[in-house]
Amino acid sequence: MLDLLGKHPGTRYAVLMDNADADPVVLSLGIRNVGTCELALLAAKFDAFALLALIERYGATVH
């Protein structure tokens, strides 16, 4: 994940998914200068486009 962010210095977020057909779907999420994590999401409820929309919508929010 850090390599992916390193190759794209203007990118704040990176999402990597090894197998979209797995259940659960396991995602690696990296946020520049914040950290990384892995998420396990039920395949029946996973929507990649909704995830990207949420990141775009709330990505600038700082908690």
Side-chain angles (χ1 to χ4, degrees), residues 11-60:
T11 302
R12 179 159 166 79
Y13 300 96
V15 178
L16 181 64
M17 176 176 27
D18 287 332
N19 184 357
D21 296 323
D23 193 6
V25 176
V26 178
L27 301 175
S28 296
L29 171 65
I31 305 171
R32 183 177 304 283
N33 299 324
V34 176
T36 62
C37 68
E38 287 192 350
L39 305 166
L41 307 168
L42 295 175
K45 298 193 179 250
F46 176 67
D47 182 340
F49 295 107
L51 174 64
L52 293 174
L54 287 169
I55 290 171
E56 184 175 309
R57 182 173 178 181
Y58 297 106

